[in-house]
Amino acid sequence: MGRKLLLDKVGIVGIRSYDVYRENGGYSSVEKVLKTMSPDDVTNEVKKSGLRGRGGAGFPTGMKWGFLAKPEGVPRYLVCNADESEPGTFKDRYLMEHIPHLLIEGLIVSSYAVGSNRTYIYIRGEFGWIVDILEQAIAEAKNNGWLGKNILGSGFDCEIYVHPGAGAYICGEETALLESLEGKRGNPRIKPPFPAVKGLYGCPTVVNNVETLSTVVPIINMGGDEYAKYGTGKSTGTKLISACGNINKPGVYEIEMNISVEEFIYNDEYCGGIANGKRLKACVPGGSSVPVLPANLLLKTAKGETRMMTYESLSDGGFLTGSMLGSGGFIVYDEDQCIVRNTYSFSRFYRHESCGQCSPCREGTFWMEKILWNLEHGKGKMKDIDLLWSVQGNIEGNTICPLGDAAAWPVAAAIRHFRDEFEWHVTHPEEAQRRNYGLAGYAEPLKAGV
Amino acid sequence: MIKFSEEKLKQVEKIIARYPEGKQKSALLPVLHLAQQEFGGWLSPETMDYVASLLGLLTIEVYEVATFYSMYNLKPVGKYVFEVCQTGPCITRGSDDIIKYIGERLGIKPGETTPDGLFTLKTAECLGACGYAPMMQMGKGFKEHLTKEKVDEIIEECRRSAAINN
Ligand SMILES: Cc1cc2nc3c(=O)[nH]c(=O)nc-3n(C[C@H](O)[C@H](O)[C@H](O)COP(=O)(O)O)c2cc1C
Ligand code: SF4
Ligand code: FES
């Protein structure tokens, strides 16, 4: 069994409630920081832990906190990103549903570190029942003296509020999130200024993911150095992976970042292998925005090394032969799945979610969806594949926020690795319409159980 | 004239109090959710104007927001809204067939409402439940691991509870 730091207590009956959570050592990190540590000490422990943001970009959390501007007399804000809308990703939801007090505890400690007296959880509006769970946990924490004025006599005041969004993937992007929290459309802001200088209401703000902020709890409890002993190299600690697609055991797994991709897919402790005795065809290992990898490049890198579930190993080879750990949304495709159809669905998603501010993204996502619809429905031509390639290439790097890149990358990777499947759709329009792809033209998949 | 009940107005005040002085525009998204719930499941121009007056905003500020977010309905919807996820991970688990099946059972296409005003079928993009696919949102909760049998049960249950409430 891999070691767990976040979900280790999830099996305990009643752990969602304050009393049980507290009996099992909950809120001890708040006691520790408020009684024995300065805010800078907390930031230092997080720096030592090597924790990297779990929202997708993997930016070092301690460093981010260190960048926060601290002008006199100006409030600072901590905002927890619980927007979780990247296709394939459902890990934050799991954490909030099963052990909500862990997030609240992490938020109090992190608020203390960055000096936030008003902390917001921005949660996607569709998670209505989780809003209730969080509000109950916040009320319990407050009734027990962990929130409010002068917490534990430390002089530190903190309130946490839950703010629901209303259906917009783009609001997961941190500056769009702040716009939305201010009651506006979720249009990303031009950076700089970065939120660390000008964020919510123009004040210095830190935005971190649910899992990132929850991980601060074990880091404080065990110490940053000890935490850094978990995992491999610069991928310290554990990571929540939400696994879905054609596997036997879809679900959320906490892994220590020292196992191989193969072990994660085939071991019964995790995904339990490909469902229905099928073969592994491909995988999107880090949420819809990251490049898809065919089975052969997924389990081994281009250099022939074992591919590991770490930031470094999953991105080994760059975008030519690698991918990214991203948000940990792990989508597995068996031999019956159609890459063209999947890519079309992702492009529809990004067209739908583009805020429309920049033309490369607005127009590019529109055209990618249109071309992919044609290909997928057997109405495409060979030159459409090249056109698609050129459209995606014109989006990347030319937009205000990374959604443009996120829309382009999956298309680029699909063409790069599965070009013959796109061509097959052009040469076999009837079969394509019946969605009868069989094993038509893609990199020879590895057999189940290898 | 539409108006929140005293109880709902208290709730609005509590929402406004979450934000710093002078930042009550931040309350707009949560208050629109509340208004949609209270006033028939959609945001009519009248409802939006009311929310604007309540928060001291220009009506255009409310329209801008209401049209941006997919959870706000800008036209009337059925009593039960089925929003079935159609994104890649759900497709791998058969969401196409489920969408088709619900459409057949209700005799409507995505985007339509049944003539009796009971059901609206919509397609949705990833709802953060990919491991429990196929799935749909219904009201405040999710219905997951959908099968044809489960869809039948849900439809029956909605019909039953609508009959009781009428
Ligand atoms: C289009 C887009 C969507 C995003 N969605 C999310 C999201 O749902 N949840 C999240 O935590 N981060 C999301 N991010 C990343 C955030 O912008 C930000 O980097 C993150 O919240 C920082 O937290 P972390 O450092 O703890 O990862 C998204 C970014 C982009 C460009
Ligand atoms: S890249 Fe797309 S989503 Fe991002 S700001 Fe531009 S138009 Fe909006
Ligand atoms: S793809 Fe359907 S819930 Fe994520």
Side-chain angles (χ1 to χ4, degrees):
Chain A
M1 283 287 277
R3 296 184 290 183
K4 292 182 185 175
L5 297 171
L6 298 173
L7 304 183
D8 51 334
K9 300 199 182 88
V10 160
I12 299 171
V13 178
I15 196 70
R16 239 199 216 181
S17 73
Y18 172 78
D19 290 339
V20 177
Y21 183 75
R22 177 72 179 142
E23 278 159 25
N24 284 280
Y27 290 96
S28 55
S29 71
V30 180
E31 277 177 310
K32 186 168 174 181
V33 300
L34 292 186
K35 291 188 174 155
T36 67
M37 294 169 81
S38 72
D40 286 346
D41 291 342
V42 179
T43 303
N44 277 333
E45 286 308 313
V46 174
K47 278 186 184 159
K48 278 195 260 175
S49 74
L51 173 65
R52 296 164 66 171
R54 303 298 195 225
F59 191 81
T61 306
M63 202 190 286
K64 186 187 252 187
W65 292 5
F67 288 152
L68 189 67
K70 295 181 176 164
E72 274 303 310
V74 177
R76 296 190 287 276
Y77 293 101
L78 175 68
V79 178
C80 170
N81 190 340
D83 194 55
E84 190 151 81
S85 315
E86 168 102 350
T89 316
F90 48 100
K91 64 179 180 83
D92 296 335
R93 161 191 173 185
Y94 184 92
L95 194 150
M96 294 186 284
E97 270 184 303
H98 289 86
I99 186 158
H101 280 285
L102 182 67
L103 174 61
I104 306 305
E105 181 176 353
L107 284 175
I108 300 169
V109 172
S110 308
S111 299
Y112 176 70
V114 305
S116 168
N117 306 120
R118 244 181 222 273
T119 291
Y120 293 99
I121 304 174
Y122 183 99
I123 185 167
R124 69 178 296 175
E126 293 91 339
F127 287 169
W129 75 101
I130 304 180
V131 172
D132 297 343
I133 293 174
L134 291 174
E135 284 186 335
Q136 162 135 16
I138 291 167
E140 287 172 339
K142 188 158 178 169
N143 289 339
N144 286 282
W146 302 105
L147 283 169
K149 292 234 174 293
N150 192 19
I151 304 168
L152 303 186
S154 64
F156 175 60
D157 305 339
C158 185
E159 297 288 352
I160 299 175
Y161 301 101
V162 186
H163 180 100
Y169 165 68
I170 190 57
C171 291
E173 193 281 330
E174 56 184 10
T175 61
L177 184 153
L178 296 173
E179 287 285 298
S180 181
L181 187 45
E182 292 180 4
K184 300 182 225 158
R185 295 166 79 94
N187 288 339
R189 299 174 182 170
I190 294 173
K191 295 194 257 190
F194 288 92
V197 177
K198 256 181 158 221
L200 184 61
Y201 310 126
C203 301
T205 301
V206 167
V207 181
N208 274 130
N209 171 261
V210 169
E211 182 187 350
T212 311
L213 293 165
S214 302
T215 304
V216 171
V217 174
I219 290 172
I220 293 303
N221 282 335
M222 71 201 308
D225 287 329
E226 193 55 33
Y227 181 87
K229 291 182 188 160
Y230 285 67
T232 316
K234 285 190 174 159
S235 299
T236 60
T238 64
K239 174 87 190 81
L240 298 183
I241 307 287
S242 57
C244 60
N246 308 111
I247 47 177
N248 280 316
K249 292 169 56 195
V252 176
Y253 299 98
E254 180 174 7
I255 60 157
E256 187 174 342
M257 285 191 272
N258 61 6
I259 63 169
S260 70
V261 173
E262 185 172 335
E263 183 178 354
F264 183 67
I265 295 179
Y266 291 104
N267 194 307
D268 278 337
E269 201 181 315
Y270 309 109
C271 304
I274 309 301
N276 305 316
K278 302 268 182 191
R279 290 186 294 174
L280 169 65
K281 174 174 178 176
C283 174
V284 174
S288 60
S289 305
V290 311
V292 60
L293 286 178
N296 50 355
L297 283 175
L298 174 70
L299 303 185
K300 291 214 187 316
T301 66
K303 286 179 259 166
E305 285 163 7
T306 301
R307 183 88 71 181
M308 306 292 289
M309 295 288 285
T310 64
Y311 290 96
E312 290 74 27
S313 184
L314 278 168
S315 58
D316 187 291
F319 279 5
L320 287 184
T321 59
S323 183
M324 281 168 79
L325 177 63
S327 62
F330 196 87
I331 315 166
V332 179
Y333 302 92
D334 71 17
E335 59 193 275
D336 290 344
Q337 301 304 318
C338 172
I339 295 297
V340 178
R341 175 151 184 73
N342 183 70
T343 311
Y344 159 65
S345 112
F346 284 170
S347 74
R348 180 182 57 205
F349 173 82
Y350 288 107
R351 191 266 305 148
H352 186 257
E353 304 299 339
S354 165
C355 83
Q357 275 191 114
C358 354
S359 29
C361 172
R362 184 186 60 241
E363 303 300 320
T365 53
F366 172 83
W367 282 106
M368 289 196 302
E369 184 195 4
K370 209 172 152 71
I371 299 167
L372 278 158
W373 189 92
N374 281 338
L375 288 165
E376 148 69 3
H377 288 83
K379 296 181 175 29
K381 305 209 170 48
M382 280 300 176
K383 64 178 197 309
D384 287 339
I385 304 173
D386 296 323
L387 181 61
L388 190 57
W389 180 262
S390 106
V391 173
Q392 68 79 22
N394 286 328
I395 302 175
E396 196 188 341
N398 292 324
T399 57
I400 294 177
C401 92
L403 184 137
D405 301 345
W409 293 341
V411 173
I415 300 178
R416 187 177 289 127
H417 299 303
F418 296 93
R419 189 174 180 111
D420 36 8
E421 192 163 327
F422 283 85
E423 291 175 354
W424 184 85
H425 273 68
V426 175
T427 51
H428 296 71
E430 276 102 51
E431 278 105 317
Q433 292 211 53
R434 286 204 305 275
R435 297 195 191 138
N436 177 17
Y437 312 106
L439 280 164
Y442 47 79
E444 177 56 22
L446 301 187
K447 297 212 165 39
V450 282
Chain B
M1 270 288 287
I2 56 165
K3 197 174 177 323
F4 279 132
S5 65
E6 281 307 311
E7 187 208 335
K8 293 291 163 197
L9 282 173
K10 283 222 178 71
Q11 214 171 320
V12 171
E13 262 164 42
K14 263 180 82 179
I15 293 172
I16 293 173
R18 293 181 200 157
Y19 309 97
E21 280 280 320
K23 305 294 181 196
Q24 64 181 17
K25 183 167 179 180
S26 280
L28 181 52
L29 267 66
V31 173
L32 281 176
H33 280 304
L34 198 63
Q36 177 158 293
Q37 252 167 46
E38 284 302 292
F39 306 121
W42 69 296
L43 296 174
S44 66
E46 192 190 6
T47 304
M48 290 191 272
D49 294 351
Y50 174 62
V51 169
S53 69
L54 211 54
L55 295 177
L57 301 173
L58 301 172
T59 48
I60 182 73
E61 293 178 278
V62 178
Y63 296 169
E64 268 177 6
V65 162
T67 51
F68 186 83
Y69 296 93
S70 66
M71 287 180 76
Y72 300 129
N73 298 315
L74 299 175
K75 46 179 208 202
V77 290
K79 190 171 167 74
Y80 302 100
V81 184
F82 293 177
E83 298 178 71
V84 195
C85 175
Q86 61 169 355
T87 311
C90 276
I91 294 176
T92 66
R93 309 293 287 203
S95 59
D96 286 350
D97 291 340
I98 288 292
I99 294 170
K100 209 167 132 226
Y101 183 71
I102 299 176
E104 281 164 16
R105 277 298 318 264
L106 298 176
I108 51 176
K109 290 203 279 293
E112 295 178 350
T113 299
T114 51
D116 59 5
L118 221 44
F119 298 99
T120 298
L121 173 61
K122 283 185 173 181
T123 51
E125 299 296 345
C126 182
L127 289 162
C130 330
Y132 322 113
M135 61 78 60
M136 66 179 184
Q137 178 169 23
M138 195 182 124
K140 206 173 180 175
F142 288 178
K143 303 281 182 190
E144 300 173 331
H145 297 295
L146 292 178
T147 57
K148 290 180 179 174
E149 294 73 38
K150 212 158 162 182
V151 165
D152 288 343
E153 277 167 33
I154 294 167
I155 293 174
E156 277 322 302
E157 172 132 8
C158 291
R159 291 212 166 107
R160 263 200 308 276
S161 78
I164 293 167
N165 293 334
N166 267 343

